[in-house]
Structures are given as structure tokens and as C-alpha cells.
Amino acid sequence: LIGSIFFNKHIYPISYKILKRRLDKDYNDLDYRLPDYCKAVVLEIAKRYDKILAKRRENAELCMEELDGIIDFVRPIKNSKAAWLYFVLMPRNKEKNEKLRKTLFKENVDVQPLLTFGNLGRNNKSNEKHNANMKFIKAENIQNNHLIFALYRSREETEYIIKKIKKAAKIL
């Protein structure tokens, strides 16, 4: 109920600022022990995980098919079975990244950098500097120039996002 109000297209430009402030904070460690009712909820979700995964993969396939050649995006590793939590857009640079994000936001599509993704190799002291740069240059690029949106959504929502990305890509 609150989500439909919070994410309402007319209110979200305001509530987004509240959300952004909350996401950008450093949080204390949490106690992850679950009460029994929470365990029951997690187990129920696990029972339908195959359906959730199938929906995300279906939406990812649609995105790859529709956006191929229109905008750069991260593709799964060959012969792997990606979980497809998010679809990762890869504008060429930070300026295009921010311009795309703002353009899509005006079209009621919120794409953001994934704040939990970071290049873990850049501070690895055991690697020689040159090797570290060569091995982790792709991760560094993704860390600095990516936008994501969740793939667990209806086909109609996914098609709407694709349509808006195509429109924004023409402008850029």
C-alpha cells in the first residue's frame, strides 16, 4: 500500500530524494537471526524461486533482443546461467550515464548505479600494478559507468522500460 503511494509517478520525484539519502548512508551491522515467521516467508519464496528466475530470464532475453545495437549492456558469460537480478546498461562515459538516467527519470523509468557493486581488484596489493590494471579494467569501467533496473517485473513493465530506453538512446 505504501509502495504504490511512495512510487507514484507524481510523488516519486520527491520521495526519490528521501530514498537516495537512505541508500547513501553507512549502516551498522545487523543481526541476521530470523524469527520463525520470517523463516516461513523465506521458505515460501524459495518454493517459487524457479518461477521468479524464469521471469527474470524471460525479461533479460527480451531486453537483449530489443536493445541490441541500440545501447551497450552487460551480457552474460558464454555458457553460464545468469541469475538476472538486474539488467545492466553501460553508457560509454559518466556524462552519457547521467544524461541517460535523467532522461529516463523524466519518462518515469528509474535506473541507478548498483551501489553494492565495486571493483574489488583495484586495491589488491598482491598484484603488480600493471596486471591489476589489465585484469580489473572492465570491472572499473562497470563500477563507474553503469545503470541497472530489476528484471523481476511484468512483461508490460519491461516493454515500457525498453521503449523508453530506445527513445532516450535516440536523443543521446
Side-chain angles (χ1 to χ4, degrees):
L1 180 65
I2 292 171
S4 63
I5 296 167
F6 189 85
F7 293 106
N8 178 287
K9 68 179 182 179
H10 301 294
I11 297 172
Y12 189 62
I14 297 162
S15 61
Y16 165 76
K17 292 173 185 171
I18 297 166
L19 179 64
K20 182 123 176 81
R21 277 196 307 262
R22 297 283 300 167
L23 291 176
D24 287 342
K25 288 184 181 178
D26 285 331
Y27 291 96
N28 295 329
D29 292 341
L30 300 173
D31 180 3
Y32 286 104
R33 289 177 291 183
L34 292 175
D36 288 340
Y37 75 90
C38 291
K39 290 177 187 174
V41 169
V42 170
L43 288 173
E44 282 302 311
I45 292 171
K47 287 179 187 175
R48 60 187 172 93
Y49 185 70
D50 284 344
K51 290 179 184 173
I52 293 170
L53 193 56
K55 172 54 86 180
R56 294 190 320 224
R57 285 186 176 141
E58 177 186 312
N59 285 335
E61 290 293 328
L62 179 63
C63 288
M64 288 191 297
E65 182 182 308
E66 293 287 326
L67 296 174
D68 190 27
I70 294 172
I71 192 164
D72 291 332
F73 55 86
V74 175
R75 297 173 188 277
I77 297 170
K78 203 172 204 174
N79 299 321
S80 70
K81 285 193 155 195
W84 288 112
L85 293 171
Y86 304 104
F87 196 78
V88 183
L89 301 173
M90 290 292 300
R92 293 280 180 202
N93 58 51
K94 274 193 168 181
E95 294 79 32
K96 274 194 174 184
N97 185 328
E98 190 58 21
K99 192 172 184 180
L100 177 63
R101 191 190 69 73
K102 286 180 178 178
T103 302
L104 289 172
F105 193 77
K106 289 176 185 173
E107 296 285 342
N108 302 317
V109 174
D110 190 16
V111 292
Q112 296 289 327
L114 184 61
L115 300 176
T116 58
F117 180 85
N119 176 7
L120 300 177
R122 71 168 172 240
N123 295 324
N124 189 341
K125 305 255 189 259
S126 65
N127 287 333
E128 297 173 18
K129 192 172 187 171
H130 176 71
N131 286 342
N133 286 339
M134 295 308 289
K135 286 182 181 179
F136 299 107
I137 196 164
K138 186 173 183 178
E140 190 73 20
N141 187 34
I142 292 171
Q143 174 184 303
N144 295 326
N145 302 312
H146 76 282
L147 298 169
I148 60 111
F149 61 91
L151 287 167
Y152 186 56
R153 58 181 70 240
S154 70
R155 184 174 181 98
E156 292 77 25
E157 283 182 89
T158 304
E159 288 171 345
Y160 178 84
I161 291 169
I162 290 168
K163 178 180 165 187
K164 297 302 178 177
I165 290 171
K166 286 179 174 180
K167 181 179 173 184
K170 287 179 185 175
I171 296 168
L172 301 176

